[in-house]
Amino acid sequence: MTGKIAAFAISLVAASVIVFLVLNVLPGDPAAVMLGLDAQPDTIAALHHKLGLDAPLPARYLHWIAGLLWLHLGTSFTYGIPVTDLLADRLQVTLPLAAITLLLAVAIGIPVGVAAAARQGSLGDAAIMAAAQLTKSVPDFWLGVIFILVFALRLHWLPAGGFPGWQGGLLPACRALLLPAFALALPQAAILARFTRSATITALNQDYIRTARAKGLSRRAVLWRHALPNALIPVVTVAGLLFPLLLSGTVIVENVFNIPGLGRLLFEAINQRDLIVVQDLVVILVASVVLVNFAADSLAARLDPRIAANE
Amino acid sequence: MSLGSTPALPRHPSLIAGIVLLSIVLLPASLSVVWTPFPTARLDIVHRLAPISATHPLGTDPFGRDLLSILMIGARNSLSICTAAIALGAAIGVPVGLAAAASPGWRGATLMRAADLGLAFPPLLTASMIVAALGAGRGGTILAIGLFNAPAFARITRVEARSVLQRDYVAAARIAGRGPAAILGVHVLPNIAATLLVQATIALALAILAEAGLSYLGLGTPPPVPSLGRALSEYQTQIFDDPLLVIAPGAAIALLVLGLNQLGDGLRDILDPAVAQRA
Amino acid sequence: MNGVLEVRDLRVNLRQTRLLDGIDLSLARGEAIGIVGESGCGKSLFALALMGLLPPPLRATGSVCLDGQNLLALPEGAMCRIRGKRLAMVFQEPMLALNPVQPIGRQVAEGMRLHGLGRADAEAKARRLLNRVGLARVRPDAYPHTLSGGQRQRVMIAIALASDPDILIADEFSTALDMVTQAQIIRLLAELSAETQMGLLLISHDLGLVAEAASKTLVLYAGRPAESGPTRQIFAAPRHPYTQGLLGATLHGTDTPPGKVLAAIPGQVPDPAHRPEGCAFAPRCGRAAPDCCAGVPDMAGRNANLAACLHPLAQP
């Protein structure tokens, strides 16, 4: 276990170094990039000094990391307010959106996959898998746009975009998040469904299933008590790998539906060349990917006694 | 229990479906290298938002450009960028995987952990950084997608290479004095090529989706080169008046991805029957 | 003729092919019958057919009567109540036959709880059973991957015995085991059989095992019965040429003179889809005559020893 934690920590550090280098070395002069093409040399020099860009790279890196750990993330170049405040603000939108999406993807994907596995070879199975294949081939932002067309503009069931804020009430806020969450969740559910199906079928073909049936368990009992607990182990690992997709997708749908979350912030920051915000945001998102992978691996190890034994 | 054999082709519907779907997009895309119905660089405001007609099979966009031509070039663009990206990912991942397979113990494990770092950088985040620092461009997209794919290639290569390295004919080659490079090149690579091909196909499908997303956000191919993802974002405001403008680019992407997914499944069925049993 | 288990004309079909072609068997309380034959002769299919666990598209016809009730005619729900409780089975390959994510104690107790026992009683009984099969030193909360093949097989036996079945079917259970463990388990099964009048169906390709443990034997060839009768008699004086061939190809412990060449039976077992006309063994039989290819011989004989042969070996 300590080995895993050490590896996790090293990954975090390595990732932060990469982010730092890309955003501080690649652009040549970050200050010049942020100020734009027609900036005056002395304006650039002033910004240089203000941002501490005169210091050597390692010092700047450590200063930044120390800031991250103490949540002093600097001031946004475009908005002029502390990045921490910006993030806190936007997190209130993105976290619920991501949570709803995850819930939907799992609640739809896993049962569908199990249902297909239980009916393996039948017409129902083929139909479910064809639908899943189609759904996961469609770009999530396109799905979002189509949803806007159908459910918002034509049927007027749900808002076409924007976010009224949580102060306006729980229901309007959730209604605004529903379409984006679905647009994001459906392709992920499709991937989960296919994977769950194949993991369940593999489990159902194992010898211990035959042993269980010989005890007198019904087909249904065998599926739930023996096949699924085994099938869920690889599914948990794959869910960990789906997180980067969830992240990218959240950024995209926030822009499709004009929702003021972290994704929209990233988009705005890139367009405005606000390297400070970009750097902080990217490193936080990268760190979350590393964290989720770590969590998924650890969870898989808990569920499967064989993995723990091999540690 | 085989009770007579049937010809190979009808038993592989996935492969056929994949090839057919892919061709629908691939053929016009390839054609676009030499010819498109209309040039996409020129604006033709007079004919903006024209409906479907004989001259414009899919109508025109808000700037009067022929939608079909835009889709053809956009598809070609996506394919060339993504193929380059996957090739990059393989070029990095496969050697790393081979090295890890050939290094026993902690060296191999450390190599793999280092490779896994790529998984922490989804294409969106890498592209975000590159665009913020340097501006949008094909190179950034290729790098972002390629780097994210490298770990998967490394993993698969390592697993497969390890199993090949344990076979008797490899031991025989070692005893005969063959060097490690020769063994890897002559024995390991040809045996894992099929698996890598399947991986590449499926990775290509995901890459197309990633590239479309990046272009949608403006992080991919900059104008004026047509791009499917960017087209979708440009035409989004027209969604109420002319839905075809929004539906068509998405459908083109979906066809491409679906075709590649089916092709990948079909190839896997042929090349790895044990896995196919479950699929 | 009124055993606990009466099998009449059991056939197993895979679409057009007949994999098992007309097996009869009569098992009495406390009796042990051995079923022998080469790989592919249908022994395991026979066991699965009795348990109602044939994977579709395989189908069984005929009758399998347990105390008069035809199991083949039972709906699945009723069959679930019989499996484990009255008919139990131990499978061949123990390595993968246990659920890797459940402790063994729970797996042993599962069948008992299914058939009505309370949790505490089931756990206690599971512990006793594990002791009985020689796993006293293994904790019930151990996971299968911590056990050796022999230990896993013992757990399988504990699972099979959990609900005190009337009949235990052991399908090649000894293949994964060393000689010592084999002997221990045979002894255990014999004890149990004597104690509880549990019937035993011992499926094996190991003639020595069957000779020791079973009072009656059924020899199968290519999905059909070849010979059946009291074990001692069959082994001492086989009537079917195939049985003789099997015995000739076996070491008889210290009875086998050193240097004796084991006689192999020339040829191969036919594919069930391509059985020859008439007697399936005729092409490989040294005693074959033209009428052997005319029709499938019935099991026939004067006393308890039946053989499906038109020209059986002479009885001394």
Side-chain angles (χ1 to χ4, degrees):
Chain A
M1 190 63 184
T2 31
K4 267 221 206 119
I5 296 185
F8 167 60
I10 295 178
S11 303
L12 279 181
V13 170
S16 68
V17 169
I18 293 177
V19 174
F20 178 79
L21 287 177
V22 171
L23 286 169
N24 284 280
V25 172
L26 265 192
D29 185 353
V33 168
M34 288 164 76
L35 286 168
L37 288 170
D38 20 302
Q40 299 299 321
D42 31 326
T43 335
I44 297 180
L47 187 57
H48 243 260
H49 191 70
K50 178 172 172 219
L51 294 177
L53 295 178
D54 304 321
L57 273 178
R60 277 156 60 188
Y61 170 74
L62 289 169
H63 184 246
W64 175 55
I65 290 295
L68 271 177
L69 293 171
W70 263 258
L71 290 179
H72 292 320
L73 296 164
T75 311
S76 158
F77 181 66
T78 340
Y79 293 103
I81 61 178
V83 178
T84 331
D85 294 346
L86 259 180
L87 291 184
D89 207 30
R90 305 292 182 118
L91 261 178
Q92 289 182 18
V93 184
T94 302
L95 272 185
L97 177 60
I100 297 177
T101 304
L102 191 59
L103 214 63
L104 281 174
V106 168
I108 297 176
I110 293 187
V112 166
V114 172
R119 290 166 182 65
Q120 186 193 4
S122 73
L123 201 60
D125 177 25
I128 293 178
M129 281 302 109
Q133 180 78 300
L134 189 60
T135 312
K136 85 184 224 282
S137 302
V138 167
D140 36 27
F141 53 94
W142 186 62
L143 211 54
V145 172
I146 301 287
F147 280 178
I148 292 178
L149 178 65
V150 173
F151 294 105
L153 298 179
R154 290 272 151 89
L155 292 173
H156 301 289
W157 284 355
L158 292 163
F163 186 68
W166 293 106
Q167 322 83 305
L170 196 60
L171 193 56
C174 286
R175 286 184 76 224
L177 293 181
L178 210 54
L179 274 186
F182 259 108
L184 199 45
L186 284 182
Q188 306 221 346
I191 296 178
L192 261 182
R194 284 178 66 92
F195 196 78
T196 305
R197 172 188 181 273
S198 114
T200 308
I201 288 179
T202 306
L204 283 173
N205 284 333
Q206 297 301 311
D207 287 348
Y208 56 81
I209 298 294
R210 205 177 41 178
T211 308
R213 296 266 288 139
K215 288 184 204 172
L217 275 106
S218 66
R219 284 212 173 83
R220 169 162 248 152
V222 161
L223 177 68
W224 288 100
R225 288 197 222 166
H226 289 272
L228 273 184
N230 278 279
L232 282 180
I233 296 169
V235 171
V236 160
T237 315
V238 124
L241 293 172
L242 278 182
F243 184 69
L245 268 174
L246 178 65
L247 205 95
S248 317
T250 309
V251 171
I252 293 181
V253 272
E254 282 185 13
N255 284 289
V256 174
F257 288 85
N258 202 3
I259 292 181
L262 287 180
R264 188 111 186 105
L265 177 63
L266 182 61
F267 179 69
E268 291 162 3
I270 296 173
N271 281 332
Q272 290 149 1
R273 301 296 181 98
D274 190 343
L275 293 180
I276 299 175
V277 171
V278 173
Q279 187 169 311
D280 289 334
L281 201 45
V282 170
V283 85
I284 288 177
L285 292 176
V286 167
S288 66
V289 174
V290 177
L291 181 64
V292 167
N293 274 333
F294 176 65
D297 275 349
S298 305
L299 185 59
R302 294 205 111 209
L303 293 175
D304 188 345
R306 293 169 292 183
I307 296 182
N310 281 335
E311 292 293 299
Chain B
M1 207 162 300
S2 76
L3 300 163
S5 59
T6 49
L9 235 39
R11 279 209 320 212
H12 297 291
S14 297
L15 193 59
I16 300 180
I19 295 178
V20 167
L21 288 169
L22 260 185
S23 312
I24 298 180
V25 182
L26 210 56
L27 294 174
S30 321
L31 184 60
S32 77
V33 175
V34 291
W35 174 81
T36 54
F38 285 86
T40 55
R42 198 158 41 97
L43 308 183
D44 188 5
I45 307 290
V46 175
H47 292 110
R48 65 189 300 268
L49 296 177
I52 298 180
S53 66
T55 25
H56 294 289
L58 291 174
T60 61
D61 77 350
F63 294 106
R65 294 174 294 198
D66 176 44
L67 189 57
L68 179 61
S69 308
I70 289 188
L71 291 187
M72 284 167 71
I73 300 186
R76 185 221 334 166
N77 196 30
S78 293
L79 275 167
S80 64
I81 290 181
C82 293
T83 312
I86 298 299
L88 178 64
I92 299 176
V94 172
V96 168
L98 286 177
S103 322
W106 62 266
R107 280 189 202 86
T110 314
L111 208 52
M112 291 309 294
R113 284 253 196 251
D116 279 354
L117 201 56
L119 289 176
F121 287 87
L124 184 74
L125 295 182
T126 315
S128 297
M129 291 195 290
I130 295 178
V131 171
L134 296 174
R138 293 170 64 111
T141 311
I142 293 176
L143 201 62
I145 297 179
L147 288 178
F148 186 64
N149 271 284
F153 277 103
R155 269 200 197 159
I156 287 202
T157 305
R158 182 191 191 215
V159 166
E160 297 286 312
R162 258 177 157 194
S163 105
V164 170
L165 283 172
Q166 278 163 7
R167 302 223 185 120
D168 290 340
Y169 54 83
V170 170
R174 278 208 195 102
I175 294 176
R178 289 276 222 169
I183 290 184
L184 288 176
V186 171
H187 291 288
V188 176
L189 268 182
N191 276 296
I192 64 177
T195 318
L196 288 180
L197 184 62
V198 173
Q199 168 69 14
T201 311
I202 297 181
L204 191 57
L206 289 172
I208 303 266
L209 282 175
E211 190 272 333
L214 288 178
S215 297
Y216 177 83
L217 290 177
L219 301 176
T221 321
V225 180
S227 148
L228 296 176
R230 212 184 66 236
L232 236 146
S233 99
E234 283 171 2
Y235 304 154
Q236 194 172 333
T237 44
Q238 303 294 327
I239 186 175
F240 207 62
D241 301 311
D242 193 354
L244 183 64
L245 281 176
V246 161
I247 294 177
I253 299 173
L255 268 176
L256 208 46
V257 175
L258 191 60
L260 283 168
N261 274 330
Q262 287 296 103
L263 185 64
D265 281 353
L267 281 176
R268 194 184 47 202
D269 287 354
I270 295 182
L271 298 169
D272 193 359
V275 172
Q277 288 281 12
R278 303 192 297 264
Chain C
M1 285 301 267
N2 265 337
V4 156
L5 185 70
E6 290 281 341
V7 179
R8 289 271 160 271
D9 198 30
L10 178 65
R11 297 163 196 248
V12 171
N13 300 310
L14 171 65
R15 291 184 265 264
Q16 310 302 350
T17 315
R18 192 161 289 170
L19 300 173
L20 265 188
D21 194 8
I23 313 285
D24 295 328
L25 186 107
S26 183
L27 178 70
R29 293 203 185 283
E31 189 176 31
I33 298 186
I35 303 180
V36 298
E38 292 170 78
S39 316
C41 72
K43 315 191 288 288
S44 297
L45 278 181
F46 180 64
L48 290 176
L50 295 185
M51 295 285 289
L53 287 178
L54 286 173
L58 294 168
R59 290 185 57 248
T61 58
S63 79
V64 174
C65 287
L66 186 62
D67 272 340
Q69 192 181 34
N70 186 2
L71 300 181
L72 294 181
L74 280 183
E76 178 62 19
M79 197 60 205
C80 280
R81 285 194 287 279
I82 294 202
R83 280 189 213 115
K85 184 97 190 81
R86 305 200 56 205
L87 265 185
M89 186 159 167
V90 179
F91 297 90
Q92 179 172 350
E93 185 49 63
M95 288 308 281
L96 303 169
L98 292 170
N99 188 340
V101 304
Q102 269 187 17
I104 57 171
R106 185 136 63 102
Q107 298 191 48
V108 175
E110 184 174 26
M112 298 180 220
R113 303 214 50 210
L114 188 68
H115 295 291
L117 206 56
R119 170 128 162 229
D121 292 330
E123 279 175 22
K125 190 170 174 193
R127 175 74 268 180
R128 286 200 301 274
L129 269 172
L130 286 172
N131 292 349
R132 188 89 199 260
V133 298
L135 291 175
R137 295 237 193 85
V138 175
R139 303 166 47 115
D141 59 2
Y143 285 96
H145 64 85
T146 60
L147 303 179
S148 71
Q151 287 174 316
R152 287 184 217 193
Q153 191 62 295
R154 294 184 200 236
V155 174
M156 295 291 289
I157 293 177
I159 290 177
L161 297 173
S163 301
D164 307 309
D166 296 333
I167 297 178
L168 177 67
I169 307 174
D171 183 6
E172 300 276 13
F173 80 91
S174 61
T175 319
L177 299 175
D178 60 271
M179 299 298 305
V180 178
T181 314
Q182 250 184 57
Q184 286 173 339
I185 295 192
I186 295 281
R187 201 163 352 122
L188 170 67
L189 292 179
E191 278 170 20
L192 278 165
S193 177
E195 270 171 35
T196 63
Q197 291 297 291
M198 181 177 72
L200 274 180
L201 275 180
L202 291 169
I203 300 176
S204 182
H205 60 267
D206 183 348
L207 296 174
L209 187 96
V210 168
E212 195 189 315
S215 55
K216 292 195 331 207
T217 300
L218 168 65
V219 180
L220 293 183
Y221 183 75
R224 291 192 186 133
E227 185 161 4
S228 78
T231 311
R232 198 150 291 182
Q233 200 170 325
I234 292 187
F235 279 44
R239 294 182 66 221
H240 198 288
Y242 176 60
T243 318
Q244 186 193 45
L246 274 185
L247 289 167
T250 314
L251 291 170
H252 292 263
T254 48
D255 289 343
T256 312
K260 169 168 186 214
V261 175
L262 293 178
I265 310 176
Q268 277 185 330
V269 183
D271 188 321
H274 302 110
R275 279 193 205 97
E277 290 290 315
C279 173
F281 187 62
R284 302 167 76 185
C285 182
R287 300 165 56 83
D291 59 345
C292 292
C293 304
V296 180
D298 288 327
M299 292 281 270
R302 280 162 316 185
N303 40 31
N305 188 340
L306 303 174
C309 183
L310 296 175
H311 305 278
L313 295 161
Q315 299 285 285

